[in-house]
Amino acid sequence: MVRLTVDLIAKSSSHIRKKGDRSLPEYLRRLTHLNFSNRGIVDILSQEDLSMCRDLTVLYLYDNQISRISNLGFACRLTHLYLQNNSIDRMEDLCELQSLAKLYLGGNCIAVVEGLERLTKLKELHVENQRLAPGEKLLLDPRTLLRLADSLRVLNISQNGVDEVWDLGVLRGLTHLSATDNLLQHVQDLEEVFSQWPQLQRLDLIGNPVCQKPKYRDHLITACPRLEVLDGKEINALARQFLVNWKAQKEAGKRARDERALASLAPHHPFLTHLDTALSRGAVLSCSLANSLPRREPLQGPQGPNGPPRPSDPSHSSATRVHSLALALRATSSPGLCPGALGDSNTKH
């Protein structure tokens, strides 16, 4: 059983040559790159044993037999961590690696991407080809995605049974997504999510059912204005402009058809027909009632000192007639009122 320890480093032939005449503690303090890939390592010994490696920035531990991420807190300056092709089934003990920029975990047994909330400098996350149970798919914790939204630029989730990408919409800084050999099927869903990524330049979706849909490539090119490479094929400016114009014409044609359909439907729509009839009947009834109302003589105001009586305010008589007409209309529309009530109302005014 092989463990990553200071003793293992000291006995490594490559490090013996690099060490030269320096003492082991001095050498470890200046060590920045450590490569122990494909050594049969099963775990990492306590971080106290490796605490002298404070300047370590790149650690290669891929192609080993590590089953758990642990004891890496000593490497607070680590920027690159390579752990692909091990037996890791859970993402843990990574929160102390707050300088980490690239994390490689492909080829493990991880079912949930989680525990990265404090890695606010992470730019690349590679979790492709997890060895999952049949029917299981890789899940991504929304809390982790939300905290990585500002920093993450590259995401690799290929070969993980992924069938939708809605949770990835928050990753608006993404420039490269690799999601090959999954179960993505709906072009419209991809358009809606990818259009939220204004910086997306490279997209790899080969091996998904959606790639067989009509005009799949055209739809994604028009949805992603800065996309340069789709499924390994470059997109030239002329082709993009042609597709943009095609989409604009298609949308304009759809709007025109919708307007024509609405215009042809309006005169025959039952609701509009009933509304027109009701309004016409209401107008005729209003005119009939207005003509049937008794006319009133203008009220005379008090007589002036040396002349005939002054007429009352004309606005008052007009307001009276309008008020009477309103009452008449109200009476015809209220089933509780009878013709006698209309006369009573006029009498009161």
Side-chain angles (χ1 to χ4, degrees):
M1 184 179 293
V2 182
R3 292 184 172 87
L4 179 60
T5 62
V6 169
D7 187 53
L8 182 65
I9 297 173
K11 291 179 179 179
S12 170
S13 58
S14 61
H15 288 284
I16 290 175
R17 291 193 301 271
K18 294 177 183 178
K19 174 178 170 291
D21 296 332
R22 290 176 290 179
S23 65
L24 181 60
E26 181 183 1
Y27 173 71
L28 292 176
R29 280 194 295 270
R30 297 188 178 187
L31 190 64
T32 59
H33 289 61
L34 189 59
N35 189 344
F36 277 93
S37 58
N38 197 22
R39 299 292 184 92
I41 295 173
V42 296
D43 62 13
I44 303 170
L45 208 56
S46 66
Q47 60 182 13
E48 288 78 10
D49 193 47
L50 297 170
S51 59
M52 288 181 287
C53 303
R54 293 289 182 180
D55 286 342
L56 194 65
T57 57
V58 181
L59 178 58
Y60 299 95
L61 291 173
Y62 58 86
D63 295 337
N64 282 297
Q65 301 172 25
I66 299 171
S67 59
R68 182 182 177 189
I69 304 173
S70 61
N71 300 321
L72 290 175
F74 71 92
C76 58
R77 298 182 182 177
L78 198 67
T79 60
H80 295 58
L81 177 58
Y82 297 82
L83 284 168
Q84 59 267 48
N85 300 327
N86 279 280
S87 300
I88 300 167
D89 60 6
R90 184 177 178 185
M91 295 175 65
E92 57 185 343
D93 201 31
L94 292 167
C95 58
E96 299 299 324
L97 307 181
Q98 296 183 28
S99 297
L100 201 62
K102 297 184 180 182
L103 177 58
Y104 294 82
L105 288 167
N108 282 283
C109 308
I110 298 168
V112 182
V113 175
E114 59 185 344
L116 306 179
E117 288 82 356
R118 297 178 63 181
L119 306 189
T120 56
K121 296 181 180 179
L122 191 66
K123 295 185 179 301
E124 295 189 20
L125 177 59
H126 302 262
V127 287
E128 73 282 1
N129 192 28
Q130 299 300 315
R131 301 191 297 274
L132 303 175
E136 192 173 11
K137 66 178 181 179
L138 181 70
L139 302 176
L140 294 96
D141 188 340
R143 295 169 298 182
T144 289
L145 294 176
L146 189 60
R147 295 303 298 269
L148 297 179
D150 293 332
S151 64
L152 200 65
R153 298 292 179 267
V154 178
L155 177 63
N156 189 345
I157 54 172
S158 297
Q159 297 178 290
N160 282 315
V162 176
D163 55 7
E164 54 90 12
V165 293
W166 290 110
D167 289 342
L168 303 182
V170 297
L171 301 176
R172 291 183 170 84
L174 215 60
T175 62
H176 180 191
L177 173 68
S178 181
T180 62
D181 299 311
N182 280 300
L183 302 174
L184 301 173
Q185 299 188 45
H186 304 294
V187 177
Q188 292 80 4
D189 294 350
L190 301 184
E191 281 186 282
E192 187 167 343
V193 174
F194 297 163
S195 63
Q196 300 178 46
W197 299 345
Q199 308 301 321
L200 188 65
Q201 299 174 11
R202 186 181 184 96
L203 183 59
D204 297 307
L205 298 174
I206 292 175
N208 283 277
V210 71
C211 297
Q212 307 303 319
K213 297 297 177 68
K215 297 190 180 299
Y216 145 80
R217 186 176 177 87
D218 298 348
H219 283 289
L220 294 188
I221 291 175
T222 54
C224 307
R226 298 191 62 181
L227 194 63
E228 298 176 357
V229 180
L230 175 58
D231 295 339
K233 297 180 180 179
E234 291 188 1
I235 303 166
N236 62 59
L238 185 61
R240 178 187 297 283
Q241 190 58 50
F242 172 80
L243 291 173
V244 168
N245 294 340
W246 163 76
K247 183 178 182 181
Q249 292 176 358
K250 183 179 178 181
E251 292 176 349
K254 184 179 183 300
R255 286 195 300 270
R257 288 193 299 273
D258 291 345
E259 291 172 0
R260 287 196 298 269
L262 184 60
S264 63
L265 177 64
H268 308 290
H269 195 283
F271 172 76
L272 295 177
T273 303
H274 293 159
L275 180 59
D276 289 340
T277 303
L279 290 176
S280 299
R281 290 177 178 175
V284 172
L285 182 59
S286 299
C287 292
S288 300
L289 286 171
N291 292 330
S292 65
L293 289 175
R295 293 182 177 272
R296 295 189 176 209
E297 295 298 328
L299 297 176
Q300 300 296 325
Q303 189 175 21
N306 298 313
R310 293 191 300 265
S312 61
D313 184 1
S315 63
H316 174 73
S317 59
S318 298
T320 302
R321 288 196 296 273
V322 170
H323 185 61
S324 300
L325 179 58
L327 288 174
L329 291 174
R330 187 182 303 170
T332 60
S333 61
S334 300
L337 292 178
C338 59
L342 180 61
D344 293 342
S345 298
N346 289 331
T347 303
K348 291 180 183 179
H349 295 277

